[in-house]
Amino acid sequence: MASSVASTIVWLRDDLRLDDNPALSHAAGLGLPLTVVYILDEESDGIRPLGGAVRWWLHHSLTSLAADLEKTGSALTLRRGPAAKVIRELAEETGARQLVWNRRYGGPERALDADIKAWAAEGGIEATSFQANLLFEPWTITTGSGGPYKVFTPFWRACAAAGEPRKPLDAPTRLPSPAPAGRRKMAVSEPLADWNLLPVSPDWSGGLAKTWGPGEAGAHQRLDDFLDGPAEDYGTGRNVPGVEGTSRLSPHLRFGEISPFRIWHEIRLRFPREAGPDVGIFRSELGWREFCWQLLYVNPQLATRNYRPEFDAFEWQKPTPGELAAWQQGRTGYPLVDAGMRQLWQTGWMHNRVRMAAASFLVKNLLADWRLGEEWFWDTLVDADAASNPANWQWVAGSGADASPYFRIFNPVTQSKKFDAEGRYLREFIPELAPLDSKAIHEPWKQPEVEGYPAPVVGLPESRERALATYQRLKDQKQD
Ligand code: FAD
Protein backbone atom coordinates (compact mmCIF):
# COMPACT_ATOMS: atom_id res chain seq x y z
CA MET A 1 0.00 0.00 0.00
CA ALA A 2 1.35 3.45 -0.89
CA SER A 3 2.53 5.60 1.97
CA SER A 4 1.84 9.30 2.27
CA VAL A 5 5.11 10.21 4.01
CA ALA A 6 8.14 10.90 1.77
CA SER A 7 11.06 8.60 2.37
CA THR A 8 14.43 7.53 0.98
CA ILE A 9 15.63 4.27 -0.48
CA VAL A 10 19.32 3.52 -0.45
CA TRP A 11 20.10 0.62 -2.75
CA LEU A 12 23.27 -1.24 -1.75
CA ARG A 13 24.96 -3.39 -4.36
CA ASP A 14 28.71 -4.04 -4.34
CA ASP A 15 29.16 -1.75 -1.34
CA LEU A 16 28.08 -3.80 1.66
CA ARG A 17 29.47 -1.47 4.29
CA LEU A 18 28.65 1.46 6.55
CA ASP A 19 32.13 2.99 6.58
CA ASP A 20 32.93 5.35 3.72
CA ASN A 21 29.64 4.71 2.03
CA PRO A 22 28.74 8.03 0.37
CA ALA A 23 25.26 6.86 -0.68
CA LEU A 24 24.38 5.79 2.83
CA SER A 25 25.83 8.94 4.40
CA HIS A 26 23.94 11.13 1.94
CA ALA A 27 20.72 9.23 2.57
CA ALA A 28 21.19 9.57 6.33
CA GLY A 29 21.67 13.31 5.93
CA LEU A 30 18.30 13.67 4.21
CA GLY A 31 16.68 12.86 7.55
CA LEU A 32 13.73 11.03 5.98
CA PRO A 33 12.65 7.51 6.90
CA LEU A 34 15.19 5.27 5.25
CA THR A 35 14.83 1.89 3.58
CA VAL A 36 18.14 0.14 2.97
CA VAL A 37 17.68 -2.54 0.34
CA TYR A 38 19.81 -5.26 -1.23
CA ILE A 39 18.34 -6.87 -4.35
CA LEU A 40 19.33 -10.30 -5.58
CA ASP A 41 18.86 -9.75 -9.30
CA GLU A 42 19.29 -12.88 -11.37
CA GLU A 43 16.84 -11.85 -14.06
CA SER A 44 17.70 -8.48 -15.58
CA ASP A 45 19.18 -8.49 -19.07
CA GLY A 46 22.86 -9.34 -19.24
CA ILE A 47 23.45 -9.67 -15.49
CA ARG A 48 25.88 -12.56 -15.04
CA PRO A 49 24.68 -15.12 -12.48
CA LEU A 50 26.90 -15.22 -9.40
CA GLY A 51 29.33 -18.09 -8.97
CA GLY A 52 29.02 -20.59 -6.14
CA ALA A 53 31.81 -19.27 -3.89
CA VAL A 54 30.61 -15.70 -4.23
CA ARG A 55 27.06 -16.77 -3.31
CA TRP A 56 28.44 -18.30 -0.13
CA TRP A 57 30.25 -15.05 0.64
CA LEU A 58 27.20 -12.93 -0.12
CA HIS A 59 25.05 -14.87 2.34
CA HIS A 60 27.46 -14.18 5.19
CA SER A 61 28.18 -10.64 4.15
CA LEU A 62 24.47 -9.76 4.14
CA THR A 63 24.03 -11.38 7.54
CA SER A 64 26.83 -9.26 8.90
CA LEU A 65 25.54 -6.09 7.21
CA ALA A 66 22.03 -6.61 8.61
CA ALA A 67 23.46 -6.87 12.14
CA ASP A 68 25.59 -3.73 11.64
CA LEU A 69 22.61 -1.77 10.34
CA GLU A 70 20.47 -2.82 13.27
CA LYS A 71 22.99 -1.30 15.65
CA THR A 72 22.33 2.08 14.01
CA GLY A 73 18.54 1.85 14.35
CA SER A 74 18.15 0.83 10.71
CA ALA A 75 17.44 -2.51 9.05
CA LEU A 76 18.31 -4.36 5.86
CA THR A 77 15.48 -5.15 3.47
CA LEU A 78 16.14 -8.09 1.16
CA ARG A 79 14.28 -8.48 -2.11
CA ARG A 80 14.77 -10.75 -5.07
CA GLY A 81 13.80 -10.10 -8.70
CA PRO A 82 14.57 -7.83 -11.64
CA ALA A 83 15.98 -4.71 -9.97
CA ALA A 84 13.88 -2.19 -11.92
CA LYS A 85 10.66 -3.94 -10.89
CA VAL A 86 11.76 -4.33 -7.27
CA ILE A 87 12.72 -0.67 -6.97
CA ARG A 88 9.39 0.41 -8.48
CA GLU A 89 7.48 -1.73 -6.01
CA LEU A 90 9.54 -0.60 -3.09
CA ALA A 91 9.14 3.07 -4.00
CA GLU A 92 5.39 2.52 -4.15
CA GLU A 93 5.30 0.71 -0.80
CA THR A 94 7.45 3.22 1.05
CA GLY A 95 6.48 6.45 -0.69
CA ALA A 96 10.12 7.07 -1.60
CA ARG A 97 10.96 10.45 -3.14
CA GLN A 98 14.69 9.89 -2.98
CA LEU A 99 16.68 7.02 -4.42
CA VAL A 100 20.39 6.79 -3.70
CA TRP A 101 23.18 4.40 -4.70
CA ASN A 102 26.90 4.09 -5.31
CA ARG A 103 27.93 3.63 -8.92
CA ARG A 104 28.90 0.38 -10.59
CA TYR A 105 30.76 -0.06 -13.84
CA GLY A 106 29.72 -3.20 -15.72
CA GLY A 107 27.82 -2.72 -19.00
CA PRO A 108 24.47 -4.36 -18.11
CA GLU A 109 24.56 -2.82 -14.63
CA ARG A 110 25.08 0.67 -16.04
CA ALA A 111 22.26 0.20 -18.55
CA LEU A 112 19.95 -0.92 -15.76
CA ASP A 113 20.89 1.99 -13.52
CA ALA A 114 20.32 4.43 -16.38
CA ASP A 115 16.84 2.97 -16.99
CA ILE A 116 15.96 3.27 -13.33
CA LYS A 117 17.22 6.85 -13.21
CA ALA A 118 15.06 7.71 -16.22
CA TRP A 119 12.02 6.07 -14.62
CA ALA A 120 12.67 7.93 -11.36
CA ALA A 121 12.95 11.28 -13.13
CA GLU A 122 9.59 10.70 -14.84
CA GLY A 123 7.94 9.94 -11.53
CA GLY A 124 9.43 12.91 -9.70
CA ILE A 125 11.80 10.78 -7.65
CA GLU A 126 15.25 12.21 -7.21
CA ALA A 127 17.92 9.59 -8.00
CA THR A 128 21.46 10.39 -6.85
CA SER A 129 24.59 8.33 -7.37
CA PHE A 130 28.08 8.47 -5.87
CA GLN A 131 31.64 7.33 -6.45
CA ALA A 132 32.52 4.77 -3.81
CA ASN A 133 34.15 1.66 -5.21
CA LEU A 134 36.90 3.00 -7.45
CA LEU A 135 39.53 5.58 -6.55
CA PHE A 136 39.31 7.06 -10.03
CA GLU A 137 36.19 7.15 -12.18
CA PRO A 138 37.12 5.32 -15.40
CA TRP A 139 35.99 8.12 -17.70
CA THR A 140 38.19 10.67 -15.94
CA ILE A 141 41.49 8.91 -16.69
CA THR A 142 42.09 9.36 -20.40
CA THR A 143 45.03 9.71 -22.75
CA GLY A 144 46.00 13.01 -24.32
CA SER A 145 43.64 12.26 -27.21
CA GLY A 146 40.77 11.49 -24.82
CA GLY A 147 40.76 7.70 -25.27
CA PRO A 148 41.20 4.98 -22.66
CA TYR A 149 44.64 3.74 -21.65
CA LYS A 150 45.64 0.33 -22.98
CA VAL A 151 48.80 -0.03 -20.94
CA PHE A 152 48.95 -0.09 -17.16
CA THR A 153 51.99 2.08 -16.38
CA PRO A 154 50.84 5.26 -18.13
CA PHE A 155 47.32 4.63 -16.80
CA TRP A 156 48.59 4.53 -13.23
CA ARG A 157 50.79 7.56 -13.84
CA ALA A 158 47.73 9.45 -15.08
CA CYS A 159 45.85 8.40 -11.94
CA ALA A 160 48.67 9.78 -9.80
CA ALA A 161 48.53 13.02 -11.74
CA ALA A 162 44.79 13.24 -11.11
CA GLY A 163 45.54 13.89 -7.45
CA GLU A 164 45.17 12.23 -4.09
CA PRO A 165 41.95 10.20 -3.69
CA ARG A 166 39.43 11.90 -1.39
CA LYS A 167 39.39 11.17 2.34
CA PRO A 168 37.04 8.39 3.46
CA LEU A 169 33.80 9.20 5.31
CA ASP A 170 33.15 7.88 8.79
CA ALA A 171 30.44 5.28 9.26
CA PRO A 172 27.17 6.81 10.46
CA THR A 173 26.44 5.78 14.05
CA ARG A 174 22.69 6.49 13.82
CA LEU A 175 20.54 6.03 10.73
CA PRO A 176 16.92 7.11 10.29
CA SER A 177 14.62 4.23 11.03
CA PRO A 178 12.72 2.73 8.10
CA ALA A 179 9.40 3.42 9.78
CA PRO A 180 9.11 5.97 12.55
CA ALA A 181 6.57 4.65 15.05
CA GLY A 182 2.99 4.82 13.85
CA ARG A 183 3.75 6.53 10.56
CA ARG A 184 4.20 3.76 8.10
CA LYS A 185 4.55 0.10 7.50
CA MET A 186 8.06 -1.20 7.08
CA ALA A 187 8.95 -2.75 3.74
CA VAL A 188 8.88 -6.49 4.24
CA SER A 189 12.20 -8.27 3.89
CA GLU A 190 12.51 -11.73 2.38
CA PRO A 191 14.21 -14.32 4.59
CA LEU A 192 17.82 -14.69 3.49
CA ALA A 193 17.56 -18.46 3.86
CA ASP A 194 14.99 -18.50 1.03
CA TRP A 195 17.68 -17.34 -1.38
CA ASN A 196 19.55 -20.63 -1.09
CA LEU A 197 22.93 -18.98 -1.40
CA LEU A 198 24.68 -21.64 0.66
CA PRO A 199 25.72 -24.99 -0.81
CA VAL A 200 23.77 -27.93 0.56
CA SER A 201 24.56 -31.25 -1.01
CA PRO A 202 27.41 -31.43 -1.06
CA ASP A 203 28.27 -28.65 1.34
CA TRP A 204 31.77 -27.75 0.17
CA SER A 205 32.00 -24.57 2.24
CA GLY A 206 33.84 -25.89 5.34
CA GLY A 207 37.25 -24.72 4.12
CA LEU A 208 35.88 -21.30 3.18
CA ALA A 209 34.34 -20.84 6.63
CA LYS A 210 37.68 -21.70 8.25
CA THR A 211 39.57 -19.24 6.08
CA TRP A 212 37.37 -16.16 5.90
CA GLY A 213 35.32 -13.76 7.96
CA PRO A 214 32.95 -12.10 5.49
CA GLY A 215 31.59 -8.71 6.50
CA GLU A 216 32.84 -5.25 7.30
CA ALA A 217 34.51 -6.13 10.62
CA GLY A 218 36.37 -9.01 8.92
CA ALA A 219 37.55 -6.66 6.17
CA HIS A 220 38.95 -4.12 8.63
CA GLN A 221 40.60 -6.89 10.61
CA ARG A 222 42.32 -8.09 7.40
CA LEU A 223 43.56 -4.59 6.66
CA ASP A 224 44.92 -4.15 10.20
CA ASP A 225 46.62 -7.54 10.14
CA PHE A 226 48.20 -6.71 6.80
CA LEU A 227 49.42 -3.28 7.88
CA ASP A 228 50.80 -4.68 11.15
CA GLY A 229 52.50 -7.56 9.36
CA PRO A 230 53.27 -8.32 5.73
CA ALA A 231 52.84 -4.76 4.35
CA GLU A 232 56.37 -3.71 5.18
CA ASP A 233 57.89 -6.55 3.18
CA TYR A 234 55.15 -6.78 0.55
CA GLY A 235 57.49 -6.43 -2.45
CA THR A 236 59.14 -9.78 -1.66
CA GLY A 237 56.47 -11.51 0.42
CA ARG A 238 53.77 -11.15 -2.20
CA ASN A 239 55.55 -13.64 -4.45
CA VAL A 240 55.81 -16.44 -1.92
CA PRO A 241 52.68 -18.59 -1.84
CA GLY A 242 53.74 -20.49 1.30
CA VAL A 243 53.53 -17.41 3.54
CA GLU A 244 50.78 -14.86 4.12
CA GLY A 245 52.59 -12.11 2.27
CA THR A 246 49.59 -10.34 0.77
CA SER A 247 46.54 -8.61 2.20
CA ARG A 248 43.83 -11.13 1.22
CA LEU A 249 41.50 -8.17 0.94
CA SER A 250 40.25 -9.20 -2.51
CA PRO A 251 36.91 -10.79 -1.54
CA HIS A 252 36.20 -7.91 0.85
CA LEU A 253 36.90 -5.46 -1.96
CA ARG A 254 34.77 -7.55 -4.31
CA PHE A 255 31.72 -6.92 -2.12
CA GLY A 256 32.73 -3.44 -1.10
CA GLU A 257 32.97 -4.41 2.56
CA ILE A 258 35.89 -2.04 2.69
CA SER A 259 36.42 1.05 0.62
CA PRO A 260 39.54 1.52 -1.52
CA PHE A 261 39.64 5.09 -0.18
CA ARG A 262 39.84 3.74 3.38
CA ILE A 263 42.65 1.36 2.40
CA TRP A 264 44.51 4.11 0.58
CA HIS A 265 44.43 6.54 3.50
CA GLU A 266 45.13 3.92 6.17
CA ILE A 267 48.31 3.11 4.27
CA ARG A 268 49.17 6.80 4.18
CA LEU A 269 48.67 7.06 7.94
CA ARG A 270 50.73 3.99 8.81
CA PHE A 271 53.44 4.52 6.22
CA PRO A 272 54.40 8.14 5.76
CA ARG A 273 55.60 9.39 2.40
CA GLU A 274 59.18 8.32 2.92
CA ALA A 275 58.12 4.64 3.29
CA GLY A 276 60.05 2.18 1.15
CA PRO A 277 59.07 0.77 -2.22
CA ASP A 278 56.87 -2.01 -0.78
CA VAL A 279 54.02 0.37 -0.06
CA GLY A 280 54.24 1.75 -3.57
CA ILE A 281 54.04 -1.77 -5.00
CA PHE A 282 50.94 -2.49 -2.92
CA ARG A 283 49.33 0.74 -4.08
CA SER A 284 50.05 -0.17 -7.67
CA GLU A 285 48.24 -3.49 -7.14
CA LEU A 286 45.21 -1.44 -6.16
CA GLY A 287 45.98 0.37 -9.40
CA TRP A 288 45.69 -2.90 -11.34
CA ARG A 289 42.22 -3.29 -9.87
CA GLU A 290 41.37 0.19 -11.16
CA PHE A 291 42.87 -0.64 -14.55
CA CYS A 292 40.81 -3.83 -14.85
CA TRP A 293 37.60 -1.91 -14.10
CA GLN A 294 38.53 0.71 -16.64
CA LEU A 295 39.03 -2.07 -19.20
CA LEU A 296 35.60 -3.48 -18.40
CA TYR A 297 34.01 -0.05 -18.52
CA VAL A 298 35.30 0.44 -22.05
CA ASN A 299 34.86 -3.23 -23.09
CA PRO A 300 31.68 -4.55 -21.46
CA GLN A 301 32.20 -7.93 -23.18
CA LEU A 302 35.57 -8.51 -21.54
CA ALA A 303 34.55 -11.95 -20.22
CA THR A 304 33.50 -13.28 -23.60
CA ARG A 305 35.47 -11.41 -26.29
CA ASN A 306 39.16 -11.20 -26.94
CA TYR A 307 40.35 -7.70 -26.11
CA ARG A 308 42.75 -8.09 -29.04
CA PRO A 309 40.50 -9.25 -31.89
CA GLU A 310 43.37 -10.92 -33.77
CA PHE A 311 43.09 -13.66 -31.14
CA ASP A 312 39.68 -14.60 -32.58
CA ALA A 313 41.64 -16.73 -35.08
CA PHE A 314 43.72 -18.49 -32.41
CA GLU A 315 43.46 -22.27 -32.68
CA TRP A 316 42.50 -23.19 -29.13
CA GLN A 317 42.19 -26.93 -28.61
CA LYS A 318 39.20 -28.39 -26.83
CA PRO A 319 40.72 -30.15 -23.81
CA THR A 320 39.62 -33.73 -23.25
CA PRO A 321 37.22 -34.09 -20.31
CA GLY A 322 40.05 -35.85 -18.49
CA GLU A 323 42.47 -32.95 -19.01
CA LEU A 324 39.96 -30.36 -17.93
CA ALA A 325 38.96 -32.35 -14.84
CA ALA A 326 42.65 -32.87 -13.98
CA TRP A 327 43.19 -29.11 -14.06
CA GLN A 328 40.03 -28.29 -12.12
CA GLN A 329 40.69 -30.90 -9.44
CA GLY A 330 44.41 -30.28 -9.03
CA ARG A 331 45.54 -33.56 -10.56
CA THR A 332 47.67 -32.41 -13.51
CA GLY A 333 50.82 -33.99 -12.06
CA TYR A 334 52.48 -30.55 -11.75
CA PRO A 335 52.66 -29.75 -8.04
CA LEU A 336 52.45 -25.95 -8.19
CA VAL A 337 49.44 -26.00 -10.50
CA ASP A 338 47.77 -28.71 -8.43
CA ALA A 339 48.43 -27.02 -5.09
CA GLY A 340 46.91 -23.83 -6.47
CA MET A 341 43.82 -25.51 -7.87
CA ARG A 342 43.29 -27.35 -4.58
CA GLN A 343 43.77 -24.16 -2.60
CA LEU A 344 41.11 -22.61 -4.80
CA TRP A 345 38.69 -25.48 -4.26
CA GLN A 346 39.26 -25.66 -0.52
CA THR A 347 39.43 -21.97 0.37
CA GLY A 348 37.88 -20.08 -2.57
CA TRP A 349 41.13 -18.18 -3.11
CA MET A 350 44.47 -18.75 -4.78
CA HIS A 351 47.73 -16.90 -4.44
CA ASN A 352 48.33 -14.50 -7.34
CA ARG A 353 51.60 -16.03 -8.49
CA VAL A 354 49.99 -19.45 -8.56
CA ARG A 355 46.93 -18.08 -10.36
CA MET A 356 49.28 -16.97 -13.13
CA ALA A 357 51.00 -20.36 -13.29
CA ALA A 358 47.74 -22.35 -13.16
CA ALA A 359 46.12 -20.14 -15.80
CA SER A 360 49.17 -20.31 -18.06
CA PHE A 361 49.14 -24.10 -17.77
CA LEU A 362 45.52 -24.26 -18.94
CA VAL A 363 45.79 -21.83 -21.85
CA LYS A 364 49.30 -22.69 -23.00
CA ASN A 365 50.27 -26.22 -21.99
CA LEU A 366 46.74 -27.56 -22.51
CA LEU A 367 45.99 -24.94 -25.19
CA ALA A 368 42.47 -24.46 -23.84
CA ASP A 369 40.46 -21.31 -24.53
CA TRP A 370 40.95 -18.83 -21.65
CA ARG A 371 37.16 -18.54 -21.30
CA LEU A 372 37.04 -22.07 -19.87
CA GLY A 373 39.39 -21.06 -17.10
CA GLU A 374 37.65 -17.75 -16.52
CA GLU A 375 34.37 -19.57 -16.00
CA TRP A 376 35.88 -22.02 -13.52
CA PHE A 377 37.45 -19.21 -11.53
CA TRP A 378 34.17 -17.29 -11.70
CA ASP A 379 32.44 -20.18 -9.99
CA THR A 380 35.09 -21.04 -7.41
CA LEU A 381 36.79 -17.77 -6.37
CA VAL A 382 35.38 -15.82 -3.43
CA ASP A 383 36.84 -12.69 -5.03
CA ALA A 384 35.54 -13.42 -8.56
CA ASP A 385 34.72 -10.08 -10.07
CA ALA A 386 33.48 -8.99 -13.45
CA ALA A 387 36.58 -6.97 -14.25
CA SER A 388 39.65 -8.52 -12.61
CA ASN A 389 38.83 -12.09 -13.53
CA PRO A 390 38.47 -11.73 -17.31
CA ALA A 391 41.14 -9.02 -17.52
CA ASN A 392 43.69 -11.24 -15.78
CA TRP A 393 42.75 -14.32 -17.78
CA GLN A 394 43.20 -12.35 -20.97
CA TRP A 395 46.47 -10.97 -19.61
CA VAL A 396 47.79 -14.52 -19.14
CA ALA A 397 46.40 -15.71 -22.50
CA GLY A 398 48.07 -12.86 -24.37
CA SER A 399 44.75 -11.67 -25.80
CA GLY A 400 44.32 -8.86 -23.27
CA ALA A 401 45.43 -5.32 -22.62
CA ASP A 402 49.07 -4.85 -21.68
CA ALA A 403 49.16 -8.63 -21.76
CA SER A 404 51.95 -10.97 -20.98
CA PRO A 405 53.36 -11.88 -24.42
CA TYR A 406 52.00 -15.19 -25.63
CA PHE A 407 55.47 -16.69 -25.85
CA ARG A 408 55.94 -16.15 -22.10
CA ILE A 409 54.94 -19.57 -20.84
CA PHE A 410 55.17 -20.04 -17.09
CA ASN A 411 57.15 -23.15 -16.26
CA PRO A 412 55.42 -24.58 -13.18
CA VAL A 413 58.55 -26.43 -12.09
CA THR A 414 60.85 -23.43 -12.32
CA GLN A 415 58.21 -21.30 -10.60
CA SER A 416 57.80 -23.65 -7.66
CA LYS A 417 61.54 -24.10 -7.23
CA LYS A 418 61.95 -20.34 -7.19
CA PHE A 419 58.98 -19.24 -5.08
CA ASP A 420 58.31 -22.30 -2.92
CA ALA A 421 61.85 -23.64 -2.62
CA GLU A 422 61.18 -25.58 0.57
CA GLY A 423 57.90 -26.96 -0.78
CA ARG A 424 55.91 -25.51 2.11
CA TYR A 425 52.95 -24.50 -0.03
CA LEU A 426 53.04 -27.74 -2.01
CA ARG A 427 52.96 -29.84 1.18
CA GLU A 428 50.07 -27.83 2.61
CA PHE A 429 47.76 -28.63 -0.28
CA ILE A 430 49.12 -31.92 -1.61
CA PRO A 431 49.51 -34.28 1.33
CA GLU A 432 50.53 -37.11 -1.04
CA LEU A 433 53.78 -35.25 -1.67
CA ALA A 434 54.54 -34.48 1.97
CA PRO A 435 57.10 -37.32 2.32
CA LEU A 436 59.28 -35.93 -0.50
CA ASP A 437 62.20 -33.69 0.39
CA SER A 438 62.37 -30.11 -0.79
CA LYS A 439 64.40 -31.03 -3.87
CA ALA A 440 62.28 -33.94 -5.08
CA ILE A 441 58.89 -32.40 -4.37
CA HIS A 442 58.92 -30.12 -7.42
CA GLU A 443 59.27 -33.01 -9.90
CA PRO A 444 57.62 -36.04 -8.33
CA TRP A 445 57.55 -37.97 -11.62
CA LYS A 446 61.31 -38.39 -11.27
CA GLN A 447 60.76 -40.39 -8.07
CA PRO A 448 59.74 -44.01 -7.83
CA GLU A 449 55.95 -43.87 -7.92
CA VAL A 450 54.48 -41.49 -5.33
CA GLU A 451 51.36 -43.07 -3.91
CA GLY A 452 48.13 -41.35 -4.89
CA TYR A 453 49.69 -38.61 -7.02
CA PRO A 454 49.17 -38.68 -10.80
CA ALA A 455 51.75 -38.63 -13.57
CA PRO A 456 51.86 -35.40 -15.64
CA VAL A 457 48.89 -35.01 -18.04
CA VAL A 458 51.15 -33.48 -20.69
CA GLY A 459 54.90 -33.13 -21.09
CA LEU A 460 56.20 -29.61 -20.52
CA PRO A 461 58.61 -29.31 -23.48
CA GLU A 462 56.21 -30.72 -26.09
CA SER A 463 53.19 -28.76 -24.88
CA ARG A 464 55.27 -25.61 -24.84
CA GLU A 465 56.43 -26.23 -28.42
CA ARG A 466 52.85 -26.86 -29.50
CA ALA A 467 51.70 -23.58 -27.94
CA LEU A 468 54.51 -21.61 -29.56
CA ALA A 469 53.82 -23.17 -32.97
CA THR A 470 50.12 -22.31 -32.65
CA TYR A 471 50.99 -18.74 -31.80
CA GLN A 472 53.40 -18.56 -34.71
CA ARG A 473 50.59 -19.60 -37.08
CA LEU A 474 48.44 -16.77 -35.71
CA LYS A 475 51.27 -14.30 -36.30
CA ASP A 476 51.87 -15.63 -39.82
CA GLN A 477 48.18 -15.32 -40.63
CA LYS A 478 48.22 -11.73 -39.47
CA GLN A 479 51.09 -10.92 -41.81
CA ASP A 480 49.43 -12.58 -44.85
P1 FAD B 1 47.16 -8.18 -2.68
O1 FAD B 1 48.44 -8.59 -3.28
O2 FAD B 1 47.13 -7.91 -1.22
O3 FAD B 1 46.67 -6.91 -3.50
C1 FAD B 1 45.75 -5.96 -2.95
C2 FAD B 1 44.57 -5.80 -3.87
O4 FAD B 1 44.99 -5.31 -5.14
C3 FAD B 1 43.82 -7.07 -4.15
O5 FAD B 1 42.93 -7.40 -3.12
C4 FAD B 1 43.12 -6.73 -5.47
O6 FAD B 1 41.96 -5.97 -5.24
C5 FAD B 1 44.14 -5.85 -6.16
N1 FAD B 1 44.95 -6.64 -7.09
C6 FAD B 1 46.12 -7.26 -6.86
N2 FAD B 1 46.57 -7.86 -7.99
C7 FAD B 1 45.66 -7.60 -8.95
C8 FAD B 1 45.55 -7.93 -10.32
N3 FAD B 1 46.48 -8.66 -10.96
N4 FAD B 1 44.45 -7.52 -10.99
C9 FAD B 1 43.49 -6.78 -10.39
N5 FAD B 1 43.55 -6.42 -9.09
C10 FAD B 1 44.61 -6.83 -8.39
N6 FAD B 1 41.51 -10.54 -8.53
C11 FAD B 1 40.27 -10.30 -8.10
O7 FAD B 1 40.08 -9.44 -7.23
N7 FAD B 1 39.20 -10.97 -8.64
C12 FAD B 1 39.36 -11.93 -9.59
O8 FAD B 1 38.37 -12.49 -10.05
C13 FAD B 1 40.68 -12.22 -10.03
N8 FAD B 1 40.89 -13.19 -10.96
C14 FAD B 1 42.18 -13.45 -11.38
C15 FAD B 1 42.40 -14.41 -12.36
C16 FAD B 1 43.70 -14.71 -12.80
C17 FAD B 1 43.92 -15.73 -13.88
C18 FAD B 1 44.79 -14.01 -12.24
C19 FAD B 1 46.20 -14.29 -12.70
C20 FAD B 1 44.59 -13.03 -11.27
C21 FAD B 1 43.29 -12.73 -10.84
N9 FAD B 1 43.05 -11.74 -9.86
C22 FAD B 1 41.76 -11.48 -9.46
C23 FAD B 1 44.14 -10.85 -9.41
C24 FAD B 1 44.90 -11.28 -8.15
O9 FAD B 1 45.31 -12.61 -8.24
C25 FAD B 1 44.08 -11.09 -6.87
O10 FAD B 1 43.54 -9.79 -6.81
C26 FAD B 1 44.97 -11.27 -5.63
O11 FAD B 1 45.58 -12.53 -5.64
C27 FAD B 1 44.11 -11.12 -4.39
O12 FAD B 1 44.84 -11.39 -3.24
P2 FAD B 1 45.17 -10.23 -2.22
O13 FAD B 1 43.93 -9.50 -1.84
O14 FAD B 1 45.95 -10.83 -1.11
O15 FAD B 1 46.08 -9.28 -3.08
Side-chain angles (χ1 to χ4, degrees), residues 234 246-250 253 282 285-286 288-289 292 349-350 352 355-356 359 377 381 383-385 388-389 392-393 396:
Y234 178 76
T246 66
S247 70
R248 303 205 180 196
L249 280 167
S250 52
L253 276 163
F282 181 72
E285 294 305 325
L286 293 177
W288 271 99
R289 175 174 175 269
C292 292
W349 186 89
M350 195 197 302
N352 181 58
R355 289 188 203 203
M356 292 191 287
F377 273 31
L381 275 174
D383 62 25
D385 84 37
S388 301
N389 197 38
N392 276 285
W393 271 97
V396 175

Side-chain angles (χ1 to χ4, degrees), residues 215-289:
E216 195 165 356
H220 284 263
Q221 187 62 53
R222 279 273 177 212
L223 178 61
D224 286 347
D225 291 349
F226 175 65
L227 293 175
D228 290 344
E232 214 161 359
D233 192 28
Y234 178 76
T236 320
R238 75 189 178 120
N239 278 314
V240 185
V243 300
E244 280 220 17
T246 66
S247 70
R248 303 205 180 196
L249 280 167
S250 52
H252 299 287
L253 276 163
R254 155 68 183 83
F255 282 99
E257 295 171 352
I258 191 162
S259 138
F261 296 90
R262 176 63 68 196
I263 298 174
W264 185 271
H265 286 283
E266 283 300 309
I267 295 171
R268 270 258 177 283
L269 278 177
R270 301 265 193 121
F271 296 95
R273 269 175 205 283
E274 62 273 15
D278 296 272
V279 172
I281 297 172
F282 181 72
R283 276 204 205 101
S284 79
E285 294 305 325
L286 293 177
W288 271 99
R289 175 174 175 269

